[in-house]
């Protein structure tokens, strides 16, 4: 969702280096406007001041501007320690002294793409849409290694790091996989391998080889290639949903506790299913979006009541339109 910002900066002549954690660095390497990616060796949590100071010393004097995208104090600390003259970001976490140019956080949650693009200082942000590009050589190498062919499979991304209130039920994914006319590739992290196994087991029992569970076994680069070369994808509101949108892959995005008004898949080939805005769904989902990790009411109707057939219909429509 930060890609349109980087495209704007590149278009006005800025040469871009992105500092990113290893798990997300391959995404920035799929952005042609990014000249260099520096991988940060930071663990989750903690200030890790010594590590940040070491990197700051290494890059001091190289950059004229830093755009600080996360709203945390520790994210603003490294550009400050590196004495980068202009440090641009949003107010947050008592980092007033660390930033030289500060934007106010909007009262109402805007779409995240526009939220990031606003750091450019430019207007006309509403039409910004992320784009990613993978090299044909990387795609062909990935497909050959996994014995797959371009456009001959679907991708399911059934996980959502935030919590179960964002995950369409595994048995719905399994029912959908059985209905499809092509094999299904399951993608996710190692933490989601069991979830993907729960989907694959009944599907392969009914149709041997229909589900290929790659959760936790592929690199992010391989996952990007698999999505880019797929016939279509089905996912929850997750990072891989935005990847599919950025590649322009036909997709169905399923929303539960979160809102497509805030984090939509920005693609003409995306179909969003969200019962909150379905006038035919009764009784109405007055509880949505709750933005909770788990359903506070215990029923998770927002996801349980989206049928496999409804997702299949949406997928066939978007694949046909593509």
């Amino acid at each position: 969702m930060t890609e349109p910002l980087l495209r704007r900066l590149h278009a006005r002549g800025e040469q871009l280096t992105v500092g990113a954690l290893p798990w997300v660095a391959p995404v920035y390497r799929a952005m042609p406007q990014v000249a260099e990616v520096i991988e940060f060796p930071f663990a989750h949590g903690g200030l890790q001041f010594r590590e940040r100071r070491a990197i700051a010393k290494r890059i001091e004097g190289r950059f004229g501007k830093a755009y600080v995208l996360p709203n945390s104090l520790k994210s603003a600390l490294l550009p400050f320690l590196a004495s980068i003259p202009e440090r641009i970001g949003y107010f947050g976490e008592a980092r007033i002294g660390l930033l030289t140019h500060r934007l106010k956080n909007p009262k109402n949650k805007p779409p995240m793409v526009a939220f990031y693009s606003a750091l450019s200082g430019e207007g006309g942000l509403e039409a910004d849409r992320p784009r990613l590009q993978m090299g044909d050589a990387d795609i062909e190498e990935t497909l050959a290694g996994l014995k797959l062919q371009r456009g001959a499979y679907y991708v399911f991304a059934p996980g959502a790091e935030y919590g179960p209130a964002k995950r369409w039920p595994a048995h719905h994914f399994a029912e959908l996989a059985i209905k499809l006319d092509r094999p299904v590739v399951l993608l996710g992290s190692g933490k989601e391998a069991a979830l993907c196994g729960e989907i694959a087991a009944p599907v392969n029992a009914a149709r041997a080889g229909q589900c290929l569970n790659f959760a936790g076994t592929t690199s992010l680069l391989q996952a990007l290639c698999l999505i880019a070369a797929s016939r279509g994808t089905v996912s929850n509101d997750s990072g891989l949903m935005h990847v599919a949108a950025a590649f322009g892959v036909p997709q169905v995005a399923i929303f539960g506790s979160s809102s497509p008004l805030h984090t939509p898949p920005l693609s003409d080939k995306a179909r969003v299913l969200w019962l909150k805005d379905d006038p035919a769904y009764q009784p109405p989902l007055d509880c949505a979006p709750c933005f909770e990790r788990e359903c506070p009411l215990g029923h998770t109707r927002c996801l349980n009541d989206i049928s496999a057939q409804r997702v299949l219909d949406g997928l066939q429509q978007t694949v046909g339109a593509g």
Side-chain angles (χ1 to χ4, degrees):
M1 289 185 285
T2 64
E3 188 275 339
L5 166 65
L6 302 182
R7 198 170 353 118
R8 284 176 174 274
L9 302 180
H10 180 262
R12 67 193 193 195
E14 299 188 24
Q15 184 174 354
L16 304 178
T17 295
V18 173
L21 295 171
W23 65 268
V24 76
V27 178
Y28 286 103
R29 294 192 177 101
M31 300 180 189
Q33 66 269 40
V34 175
E36 179 188 7
V37 177
I38 298 174
E39 294 193 17
F40 291 155
F42 304 142
H44 181 69
L47 192 59
Q48 298 164 81
F49 183 84
R50 181 181 299 175
E51 291 83 356
R52 293 177 194 277
R53 184 173 58 183
I55 295 176
K57 287 183 177 179
R58 196 166 74 236
I59 67 172
E60 189 169 359
R62 284 190 57 192
F63 304 106
K65 292 182 181 179
Y67 297 89
V68 184
L69 276 59
N71 253 14
S72 63
L73 183 146
K74 60 185 179 183
S75 297
L77 184 59
L78 193 154
F80 173 78
L81 294 173
S83 301
I84 297 176
E86 292 186 52
R87 304 181 297 277
I88 304 156
Y90 282 94
F91 277 102
E93 283 201 3
R95 58 188 196 165
I96 291 177
L98 301 180
L99 298 174
T100 60
H101 297 73
R102 298 174 294 276
L103 279 71
K104 291 183 179 180
N105 281 282
K107 292 182 179 179
N108 299 318
K109 284 187 175 182
M112 286 303 295
V113 168
F115 178 80
Y116 289 128
S117 290
L119 292 173
S120 68
E122 299 174 356
L125 310 177
E126 297 77 13
D128 279 7
R129 293 189 169 197
R131 300 178 205 156
L132 294 176
Q133 296 179 22
M134 291 303 303
D136 286 339
D138 287 328
I139 291 176
E140 295 305 326
E141 181 181 351
T142 295
L143 294 179
L146 298 173
K147 297 181 173 56
L148 293 169
Q149 294 184 343
R150 191 187 292 258
Y153 60 90
Y154 291 95
V155 164
F156 286 3
E161 184 72 19
Y162 186 70
K166 289 180 71 173
R167 298 184 198 131
W168 197 43
H171 67 271
H172 283 351
F173 272 109
E175 183 181 350
L176 176 61
I178 291 174
K179 292 175 180 288
L180 289 173
D181 60 352
R182 286 170 172 79
V184 171
V185 168
L186 300 175
L187 294 180
S189 67
K191 296 177 183 178
E192 294 154 350
L195 169 64
C196 290
E198 187 181 344
I199 296 167
V203 175
N204 290 331
R207 295 176 60 187
Q210 173 68 1
C211 251
L212 305 174
N213 182 3
F214 293 152
T217 66
T218 56
S219 66
L220 180 56
L221 174 61
Q222 290 174 313
L224 296 179
C225 290
L226 287 169
I227 291 173
S230 69
R231 180 170 174 79
T233 73
V234 177
S235 71
N236 303 308
D237 174 17
S238 66
L240 293 184
M241 175 194 75
H242 294 291
V243 166
F247 281 129
V249 173
Q251 68 180 130
V252 173
I254 304 168
F255 280 75
S257 66
S258 57
S259 168
L261 303 177
H262 181 50
T263 53
L266 295 173
S267 167
D268 292 337
K269 296 182 181 179
R271 298 291 184 272
V272 171
L273 293 181
W274 193 40
L275 293 180
K276 171 69 174 182
D277 64 0
D278 181 357
Y281 179 73
Q282 297 295 326
L285 277 174
D286 296 331
C287 55
C290 67
F291 297 106
E292 298 290 342
R293 295 179 185 273
E294 298 187 19
C295 177
L297 302 178
H299 53 62
T300 321
R301 284 172 47 212
C302 57
L303 293 170
N304 289 330
D305 289 354
I306 298 176
S307 69
Q309 185 60 49
R310 184 166 184 176
V311 177
L312 176 62
D313 292 342
L315 187 60
Q316 290 175 335
Q317 290 168 9
T318 186
V319 168

